[in-house]
Amino acid sequence: MTNFNFFPLQTGSPLQARLEVNVFSIIIILVAIFFLLAIIYIVSKSITSYLNSSAYLEKKKNRPTSVKDLNELAALCSLVKEEKDVLALICKNHRTPNIKYTVRDYQTMYTLFKEQFHAFDASKDETSKQHLFSLQKKIFKVYRQQALIKNSKNITVNTVFTLTVAKGFHHKLTLVENNSEAMILTIPPTIKSDELPKPLEKVNLIFELDDGTPYNVETRIVRYQPGKEGKNQMVIVHSDKISPLQKREQERAELNLPCKFHSVKVSVEGNGKKEKINYIPSEKSYEGILEDISTGGCRLVATLPIKAEQNIFIDGPFNGKQNDQAVGTIVRTTKRSDGIYILHIRFLKIAVKVTNRIQAMVCKFDD
């Protein structure tokens, strides 16, 4: 019987076998990585979609204000510690939702500042009121209205326009109607008929938004017409020639109220760090008219040709209600076409409680 020796068939070398195993392992790893990246992509897209959703945004806006929110806002608006403390107090007292979003709403912030002012006023805390006003100024400077007015059709009724008809004469006209065809403004009785621009003549008017942003609008007069209660009206065409102006460092309020002023004698006591300047008003007083005022100065109308660089003591209704006093220096004198003089005054000495009263009037907190 024949014996056959059976030998195993070799299909390849050991090296080739190992290579096939390695290739198979690499394919498995690549497939696993692909699926892992796919899962990460899907999860990332889902997270991104949620973070961009209105539901998440509302949740983020409505959550309570955190210390981190306050710190970030304070850094953005360059708040000092006292201003930051007032803002934290507002958030605490009014349970303000995420302050980083709330500050973008002008009307909401205005209401919060006004309510907090009345709280400080009730406790007669003049220092905190001062920090409140500086806080408000910084907040509104950073978060001033972003959607600038580009067409006069968007100007709201009751907006006040300033018309300058001659050197030193500024008149206030109120928007009483804004329709698709034109704007209608009431003309104050202080303007003489021969001072008014002619129909079809171009004019430049200044107006301000609620947040204090000033604008210049170039328009043309259509006609004049009688209005209600015997007040004449100016009809002007719509215009897209509207440009924002640089906002004043200190907001002003129109007054047009009688006041008294005195010349001032200056005396200096001591020297160096102990130096003290005394402003002594003379007994003789003169009559004047306060035209406007801010916490930094005022404009006073007088019949006397007082030169610039002279000190002056003013006694008058700075907030339109009660009399207050301040010492200032005349930085410029303007002579109107009717021979009356306008004194542009910068305050040198004025009490904090007085500047708070002025600021409250300017911001309409004392209504």
Side-chain angles (χ1 to χ4, degrees), residues 86-97:
V86 171
L87 182 60
L89 184 63
I90 290 174
C91 293
K92 178 183 177 181
N93 290 345
H94 301 276
R95 297 181 179 178
T96 308

Side-chain angles (χ1 to χ4, degrees), residues 221-236:
I221 298 173
V222 178
R223 65 179 182 276
Y224 294 100
Q225 63 185 30
K228 297 179 180 179
E229 300 177 358
K231 295 181 179 179
N232 292 326
Q233 296 177 336
M234 174 191 293
V235 182
I236 57 178

Side-chain angles (χ1 to χ4, degrees), residues 60-77:
K60 191 174 181 181
K61 288 169 62 176
N62 294 326
R63 67 166 173 75
T65 296
S66 66
V67 174
K68 182 181 178 183
D69 297 330
L70 283 170
N71 290 338
E72 290 178 356
L73 184 61
L76 179 63
C77 298

